Each structure stands twice: as C-alpha cells, then as structure tokens.
Amino acid sequence: MSETPWYNRGLFSSLNLRQKTLLTIGLTGLVLVVIFICGVLIDANLPTDFTIKMQPPSFQHPFGTDWMGRDMFIRTIKGLSLSIMIGIGASIISSIIATLLAFLASVNSKCDEFVSWLIDLFASIPHILLIMMISISLGKGAFGVIMAVAFSHWVNLTRVLRAEVLQINTSEYVALSRRFGKSKLWIAKEHILPLVLSQIFVGTLLVFPHAIMHESSVTFLGFGLSPHEPAIGIILSESMTYLAMGAWWLAFFPGLALLIVVLLFDIIGDNLKRLFDPSEANK
C-alpha cells in the first residue's frame, strides 16, 4: 500500500477546496505584505562598505554584495517593495479606466462602437513601446511609469467588463427598472456595479504581475525609473556591467525574487477567480 503524501496529511487534508483556496490566498498575501512592509521600512540610502564589495553569497550576505559593498538582499527587498507600490497604483488606475469605459459602452451603440475602436487601437500597439512612449512624455520617474503602465493595461479587463455589462443590460430586471422610469445611472449603480465588482477585483489583481514585469522591463531599458531609485530594473541593468567579471549573483537573485513575487500575485489572482466562480465556491 502506498504511503499518503505529506501534503495530504493532518489539518490541510481535512480542508475542503474553498478552505484550501482561502488558506492559499491568505498565506500568499501575507508573504507579499511582509515583503512590502519590510521594503518600506528600509532606508533607500543604503550604507556602502568598499571593504566587502563584490562578495559572493554567504551566511552574512545571502544575496552577496555589489560593487559598492551594499547588501544585495536588502537592495532586492527594497526594489520589490517599490515594484509592488507601482503595481498597486497602476492596477487601480487601470481598473478605474476599464470600469468607466465598460459602463460608457453600455450607454448606446455609438459609445459602444467608440469603446470597441479604442480597445482595438490600444491592443494593436505593443505594450513595451506604448509604456516607453507614455513614460517619456510624462518625464519618466515613478509617476510616469505608473501612468504608462495603467494606460496600457486596461484593454483586457475592459473587454471582459464590457461583455458582462452588455449581458446584464439585456436582463429582465434591468428592462423592468427601465419601465419603472429608473435612470441609466441608477441602473448602473444598483444593478450592474454589484454584479461586476468581483470581476473588477480579480481583474485588478491579475493586472499586478503584468504591471510589475513591464515596469521592471522599461526601467531596465532606461525608460522608467531614475537610476538613483532602488528598483529591480535598475539593479538588473547595473548588474550587466559586472556579469563578465563572474558576479552572477548581482542579476540572479534579484531576477529570481522578481519572478517569485509575480508568481505569488498570479497565484492570488487565480485562486480568487476560483473563489468567485459559483461552480467552484462550494466545493
């Protein structure tokens, strides 16, 4: 008889799918909150010590040190915190844009055609190119990157919300509200918005991974945050100079940490999708 795997024993094995989903969301969210808070508490002006510069990973410095003797673990945590903050701002603004456009599409056929045209226009432009153009036009920096990422990541969520809003508009209770003389604003607030709140919330979280990756990409290329910012893109860009010298840890650990954070946001988004899905919620 085969032995029961360790992850199916004890408390975890007694949980149903909904409880496991909630536990996964809670633990993953806790890790991200800890990373963010620790990064916020770290001073951006890290102390330098040229006597320990370019040291490989050790117990004292798990991610090694850079060419100025700064601890790469502390720099990475600070960079991740900055990426999360930019992701939060970009995702919220992007979701607001998507929600407004989805409701605008429901006003009449002309508005729907305009929103559809706008979606096709922005979808036809590569994300990185659009982000660089907007970031440069707004003077780069944190504000420029947040706005650039926000104005380039609303397309997919707008498509989903538009289809959902148009479907709700054809329902019988909305038609009944119109017969009672209710305004479009009242119908949107009382009938449509409560039904699409879950899609907005999940969509906002699913934008996070893309926002963080694109922020790091444009910063790495020199079109994002300023060089003095402790961002992951800046760290990776600076590390390229020293990779030929064998300092592999300068790029490996920050890059791996960024991928892990993106994966954690992806896990939360996927589990929330499962949680809000009526066919999965009660399992």
Side-chain angles (χ1 to χ4, degrees):
M1 184 181 294
S2 59
E3 187 180 353
T4 306
W6 65 268
Y7 49 80
N8 282 336
R9 303 176 196 162
L11 177 62
F12 194 77
S13 63
S14 65
L15 302 177
N16 59 34
L17 181 58
R18 184 180 180 84
Q19 291 169 332
K20 289 177 182 178
T21 302
L22 289 170
L23 182 61
T24 303
I25 293 172
L27 292 176
T28 309
L30 179 63
V31 172
L32 291 170
V33 169
V34 169
I35 292 174
F36 178 72
I37 292 176
C38 289
V40 170
L41 296 177
I42 294 172
D43 188 0
N45 300 315
L46 299 179
T48 58
D49 186 357
F50 289 96
T51 61
I52 58 170
K53 66 178 183 179
M54 302 297 286
Q55 287 191 356
S58 62
F59 287 109
Q60 189 175 3
H61 304 285
F63 288 7
T65 60
D66 65 4
W67 55 96
M68 297 178 67
R70 293 173 294 187
D71 188 279
M72 284 301 296
F73 177 76
I74 296 177
R75 285 196 77 196
T76 300
I77 296 296
K78 184 66 179 178
L80 291 175
S81 168
L82 183 60
S83 294
I84 291 173
M85 183 177 67
I86 290 175
I88 290 172
S91 299
I92 291 174
I93 296 173
S94 180
S95 296
I96 292 173
I97 295 171
T99 304
L100 292 175
L101 288 175
F103 278 96
L104 178 64
S106 68
V107 173
N108 53 50
S109 59
K110 293 292 183 184
C111 291
D112 186 35
E113 289 176 6
F114 171 74
V115 172
S116 299
W117 172 80
L118 206 60
I119 289 173
D120 292 337
L121 175 64
F122 276 79
S124 65
I125 305 173
H127 272 173
I128 293 294
L129 178 60
L130 184 59
I131 292 171
M132 288 192 297
M133 291 167 56
I134 298 174
S135 178
I136 292 171
S137 65
L138 293 177
K140 299 196 286 188
F143 175 76
V145 173
I146 289 174
M147 298 306 295
V149 174
F151 277 94
S152 61
H153 283 74
W154 54 266
V155 176
N156 291 333
L157 182 56
T158 304
R159 279 196 183 117
V160 173
L161 293 179
R162 172 182 167 272
E164 190 72 21
V165 169
L166 292 178
Q167 182 180 359
I168 295 171
N169 263 333
T170 61
S171 61
E172 293 181 1
Y173 54 87
V174 170
L176 189 61
S177 296
R178 290 197 187 101
R179 290 196 193 101
F180 279 115
K182 299 296 184 182
S183 65
K184 290 184 177 180
L185 181 61
W186 187 93
I187 293 172
K189 184 178 68 172
E190 298 296 330
H191 287 319
I192 301 176
L193 185 59
L195 294 176
V196 298
L197 273 179
S198 61
Q199 287 92 332
I200 294 172
F201 187 59
V202 174
T204 302
L205 282 173
L206 290 175
V207 169
F208 262 97
H210 301 280
I212 293 174
M213 289 297 289
H214 282 116
E215 173 270 318
S216 299
S217 299
V218 296
T219 300
F220 176 82
L221 295 172
F223 298 98
L225 299 175
S226 304
H228 68 275
E229 297 280 358
I232 295 295
I234 297 295
I235 294 173
L236 294 175
S237 178
E238 293 173 344
S239 69
M240 295 297 103
T241 309
Y242 300 92
L243 285 180
M245 299 169 56
W248 54 270
W249 60 88
L250 297 180
F252 176 76
F253 289 113
L256 179 63
L258 179 65
L259 290 177
I260 291 173
V261 167
V262 168
L263 179 61
L264 291 177
F265 274 115
D266 227 8
I267 290 172
I268 291 178
D270 289 340
N271 278 277
L272 278 173
K273 243 170 122 181
R274 185 180 302 131
L275 189 65
F276 288 131
D277 187 348
S279 64
E280 301 284 343
N282 295 320
K283 290 186 180 180

